[in-house]
Amino acid sequence: MPSDEDTMAGRLLIVEYEQVKEEQRARIGFRDNLLYATLAAMAAVITFTLQGGGHAELLLLLPPSSVLLGWAYLVNDEKISAIGRYIREELDPRLAALAPGLPRAFGWELAHRDDRHRVSRKRLQLGVDLLMFTVAPASSLVVYWTRRPMWAVLAGVSAAEAALVAVLAVQIVRYADLGRA
């Protein structure tokens, strides 16, 4: 029979779980909305470029907006994963220690990562993330670089933007979480 202290500790762990799950849900909603915001920003820049008489230099607005939104997406995605890891590696074992012999309280946190299609799904998500946040802005840079005349100042700006896009691409790949468990 669990002691009053064990019961209180268990309740506190459940409250903590509820709080971190609420943060995770909020971050998931925000992260997912960043995809729509990125698409809207891309559409706005392309529309603005085409309506502005085809001034290719306007395409230089796309990389900074994509990098900014992509970085916010990446940070939130990493925090979502960190919350899941915390639940699996910290909360679940602590709660299990208070109730030996009972089923794990947070089994879903482990079970959904054991899906046999998880790795292929994560690879596909990596491709989507790279396409959305790095390939599209890099493509706008290529279009700008192939147009003439090119101003020296804007050529320098575009080189800096290319570096930012490359840094983001590396970070997206680095945090892709392609592991099975």
Side-chain angles (χ1 to χ4, degrees), residues 146-166:
T146 61
R147 300 297 176 128
R148 297 290 180 241
M150 186 186 305
W151 301 334
V153 171
L154 292 181
V157 167
S158 69
E161 290 178 351
L164 285 173
V165 170

Side-chain angles (χ1 to χ4, degrees), residues 65-142:
S65 63
S66 294
V67 167
L68 178 67
L69 292 166
W71 184 254
Y73 177 91
L74 182 63
V75 167
N76 274 280
D77 192 57
E78 193 283 323
K79 294 300 179 207
I80 291 163
S81 295
I83 289 169
R85 216 173 18 259
Y86 178 74
I87 292 168
R88 289 188 308 277
E89 296 173 6
E90 296 293 327
L91 289 182
D92 191 49
R94 287 172 29 210
L95 194 57
L98 293 173
L102 293 178
R104 299 303 281 258
F106 309 125
W108 172 246
E109 299 292 338
L110 294 169
H112 81 277
R113 292 182 61 86
D114 201 26
D115 175 10
R116 65 185 177 103
H117 298 292
R118 182 179 187 281
V119 173
S120 63
R121 199 173 51 251
K122 292 299 281 185
R123 286 183 180 147
L124 182 59
Q125 185 62 51
L126 172 60
V128 168
D129 293 348
L130 287 171
L131 179 66
M132 178 73 75
F133 299 113
T134 63
V135 174
S139 298
S140 73
L141 290 170
V142 169

